[in-house]
Amino acid sequence: MRMGVLGSGMAAQAISARLAELGHDVVIGTPEADKLRGWQSSNQRVLIGSFAETAAHGEMVFNATNGTESLNALSMAGDENLTDKILVDVSNPLDFTNGFPPSLTVFGKDSLAEQIQRAFPMTKVVKTLNTVTARVMTHPLEVADGDHHVFISGNDVDAKEQVIDLLRSFGWINIFDLGDLSTARGTEAYLLLWVRLYGTMNTSMINIKIIK
Amino acid sequence: MRMGVLGSGMAAQAISARLAELGHDVVIGTPEADKLRGWQSSNQRVLIGSFAETAAHGEMVFNATNGTESLNALSMAGDENLTDKILVDVSNPLDFTNGFPPSLTVFGKDSLAEQIQRAFPMTKVVKTLNTVTARVMTHPLEVADGDHHVFISGNDVDAKEQVIDLLRSFGWINIFDLGDLSTARGTEAYLLLWVRLYGTMNTSMINIKIIK
């Protein structure tokens, strides 16, 4: 499948590499291609494009840009390159203006995922993977053999099903469908607990399991 | 031990009943004692007091009032009745002004627990139990035999140790010390995920387990 991954950070790199490893045709998108040259030298199956080239390439597009930059990045990617496509939003609206630990720039009665959905109403936004670090996103079995949960939120049931299939191909066993995209308010807010777990446990190879 | 439990809702009732069952000398505090008469008829070992009487009685005091009312309730309880005591804050600053699901009235760069600590600097505020429903607070073994985590946050290490002992007496096995009271920003924010889990799972007898 043709995949476009917007972003140049750890999440974008991890997702791009994993998708390529699984046989997909991947373009990673950034306005600062030089940042990715070193990484690309060991990931030669992934091509580098602009935001717009990357979104145009993807049958499915990932938003792995910094949350505070996502709306701008998606605007540069272009509405016409996102229309009728699934946009997998893995970003978090982390506000580091006061250092670590971060706060969030949007919270409570809204979420970054919903802001993106409102800005691109013809795109099928699916929020997932934002509750774990990049390596766990793409290699969930490396934490307790996958005995933990990833969440998924979105308004389009078919789009969620396609993303669930992709998550399973990454190795995810426990995929928790929270419901419509407004439930991303919950998973984005959880990041404020995640950063504290990370701060205490001295490893980012962590996640939570829902227990009942 | 003499225990004071501020509040009249499910959490205050559950904690008061459990403390009495464990042999503590418990007063539950509310300005609306009539609300608790029916409950008290089957919990006769628990006495009902005003906020001030309840705080004065407790060697350890619980804040189980509604989060949006907590600062006012604690003010009525009286600084002099809280000085040098442990205040176990189990409340959440849930904002239901737009109905369900709620938002939070304080978030990100601050927390209700820290607001309380600033208002009562001579009190040892310990945040815990706010991430589970009342029944799970007091009977953690009823969910997966206790195979899940409760969090604890506070600035006073000795106070946390005492509260950890109390949590163990409730049945808690996995008690995760997140660090100082600012980490309550994480557990309070988590409520926005909890309400979505609750909405999806149709039961409040749920919790999370930290996996690494």
Side-chain angles (χ1 to χ4, degrees):
Chain A
M1 191 168 175
R2 281 184 285 109
M3 299 287 194
V5 181
L6 304 170
S8 58
M10 285 175 59
Q13 293 176 16
I15 292 167
S16 296
R18 186 70 161 139
L19 290 170
E21 179 183 76
L22 293 169
H24 297 288
D25 174 11
V26 185
V27 175
I28 187 169
T30 171
E32 301 168 292
D34 286 347
K35 276 192 181 177
L36 287 173
R37 296 294 175 207
W39 173 82
Q40 197 200 23
S41 67
S42 51
N43 291 274
Q44 298 187 3
R45 283 176 296 189
V46 179
L47 300 181
I48 303 176
S50 67
F51 283 144
E53 290 164 346
T54 301
H57 171 80
E59 297 169 89
M60 185 183 288
V61 180
F62 288 76
N63 174 38
T65 63
N66 286 336
T68 50
E69 301 294 331
S70 291
L71 286 167
N72 186 45
L74 291 164
S75 172
M76 291 169 71
D79 195 22
E80 66 282 11
N81 294 324
L82 295 168
T83 293
D84 292 333
K85 294 180 182 176
I86 294 172
L87 178 68
V88 184
D89 175 31
V90 309
S91 66
N92 284 302
L94 297 176
D95 176 2
F96 283 101
T97 51
N98 290 319
F100 190 91
S103 185
L104 299 177
T105 57
V106 53
F107 170 77
K109 296 174 183 170
D110 199 4
S111 61
L112 176 59
E114 291 166 282
Q115 290 179 327
I116 293 171
Q117 184 65 83
R118 286 198 301 275
F120 300 90
M122 303 299 287
T123 300
K124 299 161 190 166
V125 178
V126 176
K127 187 95 193 187
T128 191
L129 293 175
N130 64 303
T131 55
V132 291
T133 197
R135 182 72 188 177
V136 181
M137 288 182 183
T138 54
H139 296 79
L141 298 177
E142 292 183 7
V143 174
D145 297 325
D147 185 28
H148 47 89
H149 282 86
V150 69
F151 301 98
I152 188 165
S153 306
N155 298 334
D156 188 296
V157 172
D158 291 338
K160 281 195 286 192
E161 282 300 323
Q162 289 186 58
V163 176
I164 287 170
D165 286 344
L166 189 79
L167 292 172
R168 292 204 188 286
S169 76
F170 282 2
W172 282 98
I173 299 163
N174 303 306
I175 302 166
F176 196 105
D177 187 346
L178 281 170
D180 68 29
L181 201 59
S182 76
T183 62
R185 298 173 199 176
T187 52
E188 292 181 10
Y190 164 77
L191 258 287
L192 294 196
L193 178 56
W194 188 91
V195 296
R196 299 304 188 144
L197 295 172
Y198 171 58
T200 305
M201 299 174 79
N202 292 313
T203 174
S204 61
M205 296 300 287
I206 56 175
N207 195 9
I208 55 173
K209 180 182 179 182
I210 307 304
I211 308 287
K212 69 174 179 181
Chain B
M1 192 169 175
R2 282 183 285 109
M3 298 286 194
V5 180
L6 304 170
S8 59
M10 286 175 58
Q13 292 176 15
I15 291 167
S16 297
R18 186 69 161 141
L19 291 171
E21 180 183 77
L22 293 170
H24 297 288
D25 174 10
V26 185
V27 174
I28 186 170
T30 170
E32 303 169 291
D34 286 348
K35 274 192 181 176
L36 287 173
R37 297 294 176 206
W39 172 82
Q40 196 200 23
S41 67
S42 51
N43 291 273
Q44 298 187 4
R45 282 176 297 189
V46 179
L47 300 181
I48 303 176
S50 67
F51 282 144
E53 290 165 345
T54 301
H57 171 80
E59 296 170 89
M60 186 183 285
V61 180
F62 288 75
N63 174 38
T65 63
N66 287 335
T68 50
E69 301 294 332
S70 292
L71 286 167
N72 187 44
L74 290 165
S75 172
M76 292 169 71
D79 195 22
E80 67 280 12
N81 294 323
L82 295 168
T83 293
D84 292 334
K85 293 181 182 174
I86 294 172
L87 179 68
V88 184
D89 176 31
V90 308
S91 67
N92 283 301
L94 298 175
D95 177 1
F96 283 101
T97 52
N98 291 319
F100 190 92
S103 184
L104 300 177
T105 56
V106 53
F107 171 78
K109 296 173 184 171
D110 199 2
S111 61
L112 176 59
E114 291 166 283
Q115 291 180 325
I116 293 170
Q117 184 65 82
R118 286 198 301 274
F120 300 90
M122 303 299 287
T123 300
K124 299 160 188 166
V125 178
V126 176
K127 187 95 195 188
T128 191
L129 293 175
N130 63 302
T131 55
V132 292
T133 197
R135 183 71 188 177
V136 181
M137 288 182 184
T138 55
H139 296 78
L141 299 176
E142 291 183 5
V143 174
D145 297 325
D147 186 28
H148 48 88
H149 282 86
V150 69
F151 302 98
I152 188 165
S153 306
N155 298 334
D156 188 298
V157 171
D158 291 337
K160 281 196 285 193
E161 281 302 320
Q162 289 186 56
V163 176
I164 287 171
D165 287 344
L166 189 80
L167 293 171
R168 293 205 188 285
S169 76
F170 283 2
W172 282 98
I173 300 164
N174 303 306
I175 302 166
F176 195 105
D177 187 346
L178 282 169
D180 69 29
L181 201 59
S182 76
T183 61
R185 299 174 197 174
T187 53
E188 293 181 10
Y190 163 77
L191 259 285
L192 295 196
L193 179 56
W194 187 91
V195 296
R196 300 303 188 145
L197 295 172
Y198 171 57
T200 305
M201 298 174 79
N202 291 313
T203 174
S204 61
M205 296 300 287
I206 56 175
N207 196 11
I208 56 173
K209 180 181 178 181
I210 307 304
I211 307 288
K212 67 175 180 182

